[in-house]
Amino acid sequence: MKNILKTKAMTMQFGGVTAVNALEIEINEHEIVALIGPNGAGKTTAFNMITGVYTPTNGAVIYTDAEGQECNITGMKPSEIAKIGIARTFQNIRLFKDLSVYENVIIAKHLHLKSDFMSATLHMPWYNKEQAKAEEKVEELLKKVDLWDMREEKASSLPYGKQRRLEIVRALATEPRLLLLDEPAAGMNPKETDELTVFIKQIRQEYNLTVFMIEHHMELVMEISDRIYVLDFGETIAKGSTEEIQNNKRVIEAYLGVDEDA
Amino acid sequence: MKNKRDLILSAILLIVLFGASWFANSELDSYIRRIVNLCLIYAIIGLSMNVTNGFAGQFSLGQAGFMAIGAYTVGIFTVPVELRANVFYAVPMNPFIADIQMPVWLALIVGGLLAALVAFLIGTPVLRLRGDYLAIATLGFSEIIRICITNASSFTNGALGIKDIPPLNDVRYIFVVTAITFVFIAALINSSYGRAFKAIREDEIAAEAMGINLYKHKCLAFMISAFFAGIGGGLYGTLLGTVDPKNFLFTLTYNFLLIIVLGGMGSITGSMLGAIIVTAGLEYLRIFDEPLKLFGTMIPLFRPGFRMVMFSALLMACVLFWRHGIMGTREITWSKLIAFCKNPIGFFKRKGAAQ
């Protein structure tokens, strides 16, 4: 299997605090990989380094593009990283709240636009053609994920579960190869979580995605992950398949604490 | 099909309005004509300010500076060459530009482009700032522009200002420029770039994660805004007939801030409404400045200056009852107008229920 993303000794220090220390991750194409760990373990920091929000103080992020070329994406801008095929969602939903569902999704198509600003403003034929194609894709996508009927509604007026879903759909609209989900099930009830599990599996199949996610819902993680990385205080304390992680002593200690009598 | 209908209706409206401007030009007296012209010019600048402040969500207060650039370009290049020695009597005009004379339309475009260029230069450092800091920095730059103009005497005649600008008291001309501005900005906002601006306004971090280059788009919005502010400033110069640095104090910017806040930040039709209300309102409230005799006694409050008190009170009422301005981020569209005409009472009821 070819890998799609690799981090080499990726480290982030804020002042004297090491939030993530020498993180080594390898994600293969078409896998679902989970990153777990207690609060403050540095999971979101790791995501922010991969997506360009932070520049790692040390180490490198290597991405393998669709042609199989390895490229070093360390320190690239978030917008450039989105362009090469890595999309993400956020821990606290970050939708464009006052815009409609449809606008939220079609904005994600802007990065594929080749027309310059003048031809877009004057609605030149080549721009209209590009735009029509984008609109078609958005319609198809929204219909597939059952949001088409709500396209006119304000994003902020959707129910919570739907907002989470919309955020994933918006990320999908950038046509990524690697999708980073930051706690997609946070705040969801069991029914919504089940729906999400099905949804993630479905989109992975349909869009040939690789998924890398941070999640606290262990049921969800154990059900859909191929492999798991566990972080604690910025250190990688374990990695492996779901069974390996479930039986790993250090992971249990990190989550439940050490038994003093033992 | 709906799009086609809207296009046709808009075209008809533009033609009708152009006809009206023709009528206004020949039939109305010069006082009313001046108010109409001022409305139109304020609308241009209000629209331009709405691009950065309302749509891209970048709170910029540099409009007066960009207007000054446009106004001075028009001033410098349209004063007839033979009159220039008269205007530049203290410091002779720089020989480099002394013989260049342009027609007004060309001077307007050059002024707009110069303003956009300055916006690009300012934008590089300034657009890294956010919120209040951006407002302060742009305000500062607008004053810097004004002070540069005051001191570049051989180009701008310094504090004496430039007089004898050929007046352009033609409502049709100004109307056409306003219409072009309106159509251009409406088309921009309805394009993919306009949506990118809105995305930046809503959430910069998410916008960037969706592949929108923040700096590029903010700079673009800033330059477009400056371009039209320059053109509006140029027209303002021809309307006044003279430009002098004191016309472009930073307080001028607040007029346009008022227009877009009143009309609705992020609404093009709102800016038009705002421009008309503010300009016309300030004129028609002049009755409060004149002494009033009621039942044989003089009402003591009615004296020069009372107009501004009334205007402020009205504004406060507006802001209290329409927190997001008259239009908010909504637009007056043809579909809404038609729905309103069919059922005026039901229209407001439905809208009320939706809120």
Side-chain angles (χ1 to χ4, degrees), chain A residues 77-79 82 88 90 94 96-99 103 106-107 110-111 113 115-117 120-121 123 127 131 170, chain B residues 184 187-188 190-193 195-196 198-199 201-203 205-213 217 220 224:
Chain A
K77 276 194 207 155
S79 59
R88 72 171 294 181
F90 295 89
R94 280 183 175 272
F96 305 126
K97 288 193 191 77
D98 276 342
L99 304 184
E103 278 178 304
I106 201 156
I107 280 167
H110 184 67
L111 84 172
L113 192 77
S115 310
D116 60 303
F117 126 82
T121 305
H123 289 72
Y127 164 76
Q131 198 55 36
R170 186 181 65 178
Chain B
F184 185 91
L188 168 70
N190 286 317
S191 77
S192 190
Y193 284 85
R195 280 192 294 265
K198 287 189 211 167
R201 170 187 74 195
E202 295 292 322
D203 192 325
I205 292 170
E208 209 179 9
M210 292 302 117
I212 293 168
N213 185 331
H217 285 85
L220 192 63
I224 296 164

Side-chain angles (χ1 to χ4, degrees), chain A residues 51 63 94 104 124 133 183 203 223 234:
Chain A
T51 55
Y63 171 73
R94 280 183 175 272
N104 262 280
M124 298 310 252
K133 222 183 232 166
E183 295 198 27
I203 58 172
E223 188 177 338

Side-chain angles (χ1 to χ4, degrees), chain B:
Chain B
M1 206 192 97
K2 220 173 202 177
N3 263 328
K4 216 170 200 176
R5 181 201 71 189
D6 288 359
L7 268 181
I8 293 168
L9 283 172
S10 309
I12 292 172
L13 180 71
L14 278 178
I15 292 165
V16 169
L17 286 175
F18 184 68
S21 74
W22 201 285
F23 167 82
N25 205 42
S26 53
E27 300 298 324
L28 298 178
D29 65 59
S30 67
Y31 171 64
I32 309 259
R33 253 200 341 245
R34 195 186 162 83
I35 296 175
V36 172
N37 282 337
L38 206 59
C39 272
L40 291 171
I41 292 170
Y42 274 27
I44 294 175
I45 300 162
L47 282 170
S48 79
M49 198 171 179
N50 217 342
V51 174
T52 37
N53 294 39
F55 290 101
Q58 306 301 307
F59 198 73
S60 146
L61 293 175
Q63 237 55 12
F66 299 130
M67 280 177 74
I69 294 172
Y72 266 91
T73 311
V74 169
I76 290 165
F77 291 117
T78 61
V79 174
V81 174
E82 58 273 18
L83 292 178
R84 288 190 187 177
N86 242 343
V87 175
F88 287 78
Y89 61 87
V91 182
M93 199 174 190
N94 193 312
F96 188 61
I97 52 164
D99 294 322
I100 306 173
Q101 196 185 336
M102 294 179 190
V104 178
W105 63 269
L106 186 60
L108 283 174
I109 292 174
V110 172
L113 290 175
L114 272 177
L117 177 71
V118 172
F120 173 71
L121 296 176
I122 294 174
T124 309
V126 162
L127 290 172
R128 292 171 198 282
L129 304 171
R130 280 177 201 176
D132 308 350
Y133 302 100
L134 177 66
I136 294 165
T138 46
L139 193 72
F141 269 110
S142 129
E143 278 295 277
I144 290 171
I145 292 171
R146 195 179 66 83
I147 285 162
C148 286
I149 286 173
T150 315
N151 288 297
S153 296
S154 71
F155 286 94
T156 62
N157 209 19
L160 296 168
I162 296 175
K163 57 181 175 26
D164 290 334
I165 300 172
L168 180 78
N169 229 332
D170 193 326
V171 183
R172 291 163 300 179
Y173 198 114
I174 297 176
F175 171 76
V176 169
V177 180
T178 314
I180 291 172
T181 309
F182 182 85
V183 171
F184 185 91
I185 289 177
L188 168 70
I189 295 309
N190 286 317
S191 77
S192 190
Y193 284 85
R195 280 192 294 265
F197 290 168
K198 287 189 211 167
I200 293 173
R201 170 187 74 195
E202 295 292 322
D203 192 325
E204 286 195 5
I205 292 170
E208 209 179 9
M210 292 302 117
I212 293 168
N213 185 331
L214 286 187
Y215 170 69
K216 183 184 146 196
H217 285 85
K218 282 185 192 176
C219 208
L220 192 63
F222 202 49
M223 284 168 70
I224 296 164
S225 169
F227 177 78
F228 285 109
I231 286 185
L235 289 173
Y236 189 59
T238 64
L239 189 72
L240 297 176
T242 71
V243 286
D244 108 49
K246 280 199 207 69
N247 289 337
F248 301 99
L249 282 168
F250 65 89
T251 45
L252 183 65
T253 303
Y254 294 120
N255 286 343
F256 308 108
L257 186 64
L258 181 62
I259 288 173
I260 60 171
V261 169
L262 189 68
M265 294 264 239
S267 167
I268 311 172
T269 42
S271 295
M272 298 298 285
L273 275 182
I276 294 167
I277 293 171
V278 169
T279 328
L282 272 176
E283 287 303 324
Y284 288 107
L285 288 175
R286 277 188 198 281
I287 45 163
F288 291 106
D289 275 2
E290 284 148 22
L292 179 75
K293 216 171 191 176
L294 216 57
F295 308 115
T297 50
M298 292 289 283
I299 309 285
L301 275 174
F302 283 68
R303 63 178 69 166
F306 186 53
R307 163 177 80 117
M308 295 313 284
V309 177
M310 290 306 292
F311 191 63
S312 313
L314 282 177
L315 278 179
M316 276 205 284
C318 274
V319 174
L320 278 177
F321 292 109
W322 291 290
R323 202 142 298 171
H324 298 286
I326 299 170
M327 298 299 296
T329 55
R330 290 181 302 259
E331 298 286 355
I332 302 173
T333 59
W334 287 111
S335 333
K336 280 187 199 161
L337 276 180
I338 290 167
F340 173 72
C341 290
K342 275 184 187 155
N343 185 359
I345 302 161
F347 179 74
F348 281 108
K349 266 193 185 149
R350 197 171 52 82
K351 220 170 80 180
Q355 271 169 357

Side-chain angles (χ1 to χ4, degrees), chain A residues 60-225:
Chain A
V61 186
I62 313 288
Y63 171 73
T64 313
D65 65 17
E67 279 86 46
Q69 282 296 338
E70 279 198 357
C71 39
N72 189 339
I73 60 167
T74 325
M76 266 168 67
K77 276 194 207 155
S79 59
E80 289 164 350
I81 287 175
K83 261 182 208 149
I84 60 169
I86 302 178
R88 72 171 294 181
T89 65
F90 295 89
Q91 188 174 356
N92 319 310
I93 307 179
R94 280 183 175 272
L95 287 169
F96 305 126
K97 288 193 191 77
D98 276 342
L99 304 184
S100 70
V101 169
Y102 185 79
E103 278 178 304
N104 262 280
V105 179
I106 201 156
I107 280 167
K109 290 283 178 208
H110 184 67
L111 84 172
H112 295 300
L113 192 77
K114 288 192 189 72
S115 310
D116 60 303
F117 126 82
M118 259 319 213
S119 41
T121 305
L122 301 176
H123 289 72
M124 298 310 252
W126 56 89
Y127 164 76
N128 285 343
K129 215 170 166 186
E130 263 190 288
Q131 198 55 36
K133 222 183 232 166
E135 280 167 18
E136 218 170 88
K137 278 185 185 166
V138 170
E139 183 176 341
E140 191 191 309
L141 181 62
L142 281 176
K143 278 183 176 158
K144 210 167 258 173
V145 297
D146 288 336
L147 286 170
W148 179 247
D149 298 333
M150 302 178 174
R151 65 186 180 278
E152 299 286 336
E153 274 176 57
K154 254 192 195 182
S156 57
S157 71
L158 293 186
Y160 185 80
K162 285 268 191 312
Q163 288 194 20
R164 283 262 174 220
R165 178 177 283 224
L166 176 60
E167 210 193 9
I168 298 175
V169 172
R170 186 181 65 178
L172 279 181
T174 65
E175 296 169 32
R177 293 174 60 232
L178 174 62
L179 182 62
L180 273 62
L181 303 174
D182 196 345
E183 295 198 27
M188 282 190 172
N189 62 33
K191 187 172 158 270
E192 284 171 329
T193 312
D194 285 346
E195 282 172 6
L196 183 76
T197 315
V198 177
F199 182 62
I200 293 174
K201 280 182 177 167
Q202 179 201 339
I203 58 172
R204 167 172 76 155
Q205 220 46 48
E206 214 146 321
Y207 298 95
N208 197 20
L209 282 176
T210 310
V211 179
F212 184 36
M213 64 171 189
I214 296 175
E215 191 44 74
H216 283 300
H217 260 267
M218 281 310 138
E219 269 171 56
L220 173 71
V221 171
M222 294 305 163
E223 188 177 338
I224 66 175
S225 314

